[in-house]
Amino acid sequence: MSTTIESVRGKAQADGQVASLRSTLLGNARQYGIYLALVVVILIFEVLTGGRLLFPNNFVALFQQNAYVLVLAIGMLMVIIGTHIDLSVGSVVAFIGGMGAFAMKNWGLNWVAAIVLMLVLGLIVGIWQGFWVAYVGVPAFVTTLGGMLVFRGLATVVAGESIPLRSKEFRAISKDFLPNIFGFWFGLDGLTLVVGAVSIALVVFMQFRRRSRSLRAGLQAEPMSWVIIKCVLSTLAIGFVTYLLASSGNETQGGIPIVLVIIGILVGIYWFVLNRMVLGRDIYAVGGNRKAAVLSGIDTRKVDFKIFLNMGLLAAVAAIITLSRLASATAQTGMEFEMDAIAACFIGGAAVAGGAGTIPGAMVGALIMGVLNQGLSIMGADAAIVKIIKGLVVIVAVAYDLVSKHRKK
């Protein structure tokens, strides 16, 4: 009997080690704390709004009205990891949105051609700013501060007071839903229920697969109890979100909004870029220690250039979504968008000094900012109060990051 026990222990040690539940929670306190903070903020505003925050249509509006934060936070995260900052994204959104509306109204471009034009303009803006930062050596703070003024001025020239958007197809990007191809099941959108069920199955499968791979590779794996807890919590969260989405809409459409699909695709792409591609590893390396990255053969100028090229592209995507939602372009569009994106990244765990940050963390941070925007809007809070609260949240998030690092030392 003792021989059998010893053999089992020996196999466990050969295959990998299982961490205790306590050490797993303590070792990932910051990561899990972000998710807990999101839940707490949602519950607070659910109470303060009298239960209106999580009405199905208000929940959908959370994504439709705050999609720009989610999109810009992805690009801003990469900028911050690379030890830079971009203060111009709000002005870039206004300029590119103004150009798109101007082209459709005065040049007769259809909505598809207008989208292509806006994406190309985003790349051109990224090339412009990336050139100054990467190859001339102008600090990103100065370059993008100048860009904030330049592109706001261009937006004023292009858009003037306002350019209305008449294309129904373009407006559908932000306000419409995926087609209800499966009909309604018990009054709920069938497609949303299918997507929700598949999502739950994938999350559970990935959790167990990740643990199994760690054990086979001889790495420390999470305890089975924690894997089960995560699967249960994920199932409850996805199930609740699925219910809210499936209950949303009106007599003609509802379910999964198009903007949520766009965000989901972008999150998947950029998670893969940062975690599975050479570019992602180079960005983390440059942000962690630029001198060491140079010595290891990384072309830091090319990495910096690609970071801002990517930021320009995502600013164009945010401009498309914002123009679609507002149905008009004005010179004042995008005011303080950069602040929301930066705040989302810091709340989500991005390090002030660069070199650290994750896509899921940035998305949670963006959702916290979105819940603040949505909840305070439902409550009818004054704009000044909204700014004060958001500013305090940013300060607390950065202070927590600095204190956590000081304690580790």
Side-chain angles (χ1 to χ4, degrees):
M1 180 69 176
S2 61
T3 305
T4 303
I5 294 175
E6 290 298 326
S7 64
V8 171
R9 287 178 178 172
K11 186 177 185 302
Q13 291 176 354
D15 290 343
Q17 297 180 348
V18 179
S20 67
L21 180 59
R22 183 173 182 275
S23 64
T24 299
L25 291 174
L26 291 177
N28 298 277
R30 176 65 189 265
Q31 176 186 350
Y32 300 140
I34 296 170
Y35 294 98
L36 179 61
L38 174 61
V39 173
V40 170
V41 170
I42 290 174
L43 292 177
I44 289 173
F45 278 102
E46 178 69 358
V47 173
L48 293 177
T49 59
R52 289 177 291 167
L53 178 69
L54 293 180
F55 281 177
N57 284 346
N58 284 343
F59 184 74
V60 169
L62 172 66
F63 293 99
Q64 292 175 328
Q65 295 177 10
N66 296 281
Y68 73 91
V69 186
L70 293 156
V71 173
L72 292 176
I74 296 173
M76 192 65 72
L77 174 70
M78 299 173 74
V79 172
I80 291 173
I81 291 174
T83 68
H84 300 296
I85 203 72
D86 191 337
L87 301 176
S88 67
V89 290
S91 299
V92 173
V93 167
F95 166 61
I96 294 178
M99 283 298 300
F102 182 88
M104 283 186 280
K105 179 182 178 181
N106 297 297
W107 298 345
L109 290 186
N110 63 34
W111 67 280
V112 176
I115 289 175
V116 173
L117 172 65
M118 294 168 77
L119 292 175
V120 171
L121 285 174
L123 290 173
I124 293 173
V125 170
I127 290 171
W128 167 259
Q129 302 207 118
F131 167 75
W132 290 107
V133 174
Y135 295 106
V136 180
V138 180
F141 180 88
V142 176
T143 298
T144 59
L145 179 62
M148 179 175 67
L149 301 174
V150 169
F151 294 113
R152 184 65 64 182
L154 289 173
T156 303
V157 172
V158 171
E161 293 185 1
S162 178
I163 300 178
L165 180 66
R166 304 189 185 281
S167 172
K168 294 182 179 179
E169 294 84 0
F170 197 101
R171 295 182 63 182
I173 295 172
S174 67
K175 71 183 187 68
D176 282 2
F177 300 77
L178 291 183
N180 184 6
I181 59 176
F182 294 137
F184 288 92
W185 302 348
F186 308 104
L188 302 175
D189 178 65
L191 176 62
T192 306
L193 296 178
V194 170
V195 172
V198 171
S199 299
I200 290 173
L202 284 175
V203 168
V204 172
F205 171 75
M206 292 301 294
Q207 290 293 336
F208 283 97
R209 182 168 177 255
R210 178 182 174 186
R211 184 178 187 275
S212 177
R213 281 188 167 185
S214 296
L215 290 172
R216 286 200 304 269
L219 303 174
Q220 190 176 64
E222 294 178 336
M224 180 60 74
S225 59
W226 180 238
V227 173
I228 293 174
I229 290 172
K230 287 203 297 183
C231 289
V232 172
L233 294 176
S234 299
T235 299
L236 292 174
I238 296 173
F240 184 59
V241 170
T242 299
Y243 169 76
L244 291 177
L245 292 176
S247 306
S248 67
N250 49 44
E251 305 82 19
T252 59
Q253 60 174 347
I256 302 175
I258 294 174
V259 290
L260 187 57
V261 177
I262 296 172
I263 293 167
I265 293 172
L266 290 175
V267 168
I269 291 173
Y270 283 96
W271 180 91
F272 184 82
V273 169
L274 282 178
N275 293 277
R276 294 290 185 267
M277 292 185 65
V278 174
L279 175 60
R281 292 194 292 270
D282 287 349
I283 292 174
Y284 280 110
V286 170
N289 191 323
R290 185 172 291 267
K291 291 182 179 179
V294 172
L295 293 174
S296 66
I298 297 175
D299 188 340
T300 57
R301 292 187 301 178
K302 186 179 291 186
V303 172
D304 289 337
F305 182 79
K306 289 180 179 178
I307 286 174
F308 281 93
L309 180 67
N310 170 78
M311 187 71 255
L313 178 63
L314 287 174
V317 175
I320 292 168
I321 294 172
T322 302
L323 177 61
S324 173
R325 181 175 68 85
L326 298 178
S328 67
T330 68
Q332 300 305 310
T333 300
M335 294 295 290
E336 299 182 4
F337 276 18
E338 58 279 345
M339 297 298 107
D340 286 344
I342 293 169
C345 294
F346 287 146
I347 294 170
V352 178
T358 65
I359 292 293
M363 293 300 95
V364 173
L367 286 175
I368 290 175
M369 294 300 295
V371 171
L372 287 173
N373 289 332
Q374 186 80 356
L376 293 170
S377 174
I378 293 174
M379 294 170 60
D382 187 83
I385 300 298
V386 175
K387 292 180 180 180
I388 292 171
I389 293 175
K390 287 162 71 172
L392 290 174
V393 168
V394 175
I395 294 173
V396 170
V398 174
Y400 179 77
D401 175 64
L402 295 174
V403 170
S404 299
K405 286 184 178 180
H406 181 71
R407 285 179 178 174
K408 289 180 181 179
K409 294 179 181 179

